[in-house]
Structure formats: structure tokens, C-alpha cells
Amino acid sequence: MNQKYSNVLALELAIYQAHDQGYNPMEKIVDFWKKYDINTIQNTINTVLKHAPGYKKSGNIIQLCHKQIFAVDLMRLLIAYFVHTDHIDISQLDISGAETTQSSLDELEITKRIHEFFGRIVD
């Protein structure tokens, strides 16, 4: 398989696995933090940003700023999960009012239908 497509496939599979029977998001969070420490995550995000198209070019500063802002927001999210997973019950967290929630739920529903379709073909 072409390397370019295998990277995309791995990310797509991560999305579709959310629909597998027995999927446990808390297990994924704990596994992640067992695998990566904060410094590794920060260094990896920095490396990804440095190798992103347009990083060295100052032509598209808006796109670069968006990537940097996203990276910082992702770090904050990961740290919040890491610090508070043992101390709070995140099942009580309500983000239904978030602006992006409906589009994310729509996309998740689409992946669920695709997952079920291919599940029927395999069976």
C-alpha cells in the first residue's frame, strides 16, 4: 500500500473503531497516557508543525496560526485528560452546547453507518 494512503487509513480506522462493540473511551485515554509522556507529545507536535506545508513560508500566516492554535488546544486537552481522569467523572461532562458538537455528531453518525455496512459485508 502507498505510504501516503496508509497514514490516512490508520486515522480513519481510529474513527471507525469508536463503533466497535465493547469500545471503551476511558481505556483509550489510559492507554494513551501509559504510552506517551507530556514531553514526547509536545516534541511530536512541534515536529509535525515544523514539517507541515507552509511552515517556513510566511505566505499563509493564517493557516500556520490555525495549526499552532490547534496544537496548543490539543496539548491543553490532553493535559486536562491526564491530570483529571482519575479525579473526575467525565461522563458528567456536557459539551452539547459546543458550536462544533452537531457537525461532529453528524460525522460520527456517518462513520457509524459505514462501519455497520462493512460489518454486514464481513459477516
Side-chain angles (χ1 to χ4, degrees), residues 73-98:
D73 287 345
L74 179 62
M75 276 294 291
R76 286 186 180 129
L77 172 72
L78 293 173
I79 290 168
Y81 273 127
F82 177 67
V83 171
H84 298 292
T85 299
D86 293 338
H87 307 291
I88 62 171
D89 179 10
I90 63 172
S91 66
Q92 302 302 313
L93 190 62
D94 180 19
I95 57 168
S96 60

Side-chain angles (χ1 to χ4, degrees), residues 48-71:
V48 169
L49 283 175
K50 286 178 184 172
H51 290 93
Y55 181 80
K56 294 182 181 172
K57 300 175 189 170
S58 60
N60 194 348
I61 195 74
I62 293 173
Q63 187 178 15
L64 179 59
C65 286
H66 171 73
K67 289 176 184 177
Q68 289 173 329
I69 290 168
F70 176 79

Side-chain angles (χ1 to χ4, degrees), residues 4 8 13 46 54 71 105 117:
K4 176 172 74 172
V8 174
L13 286 174
N46 285 335
L105 291 174
F117 173 77

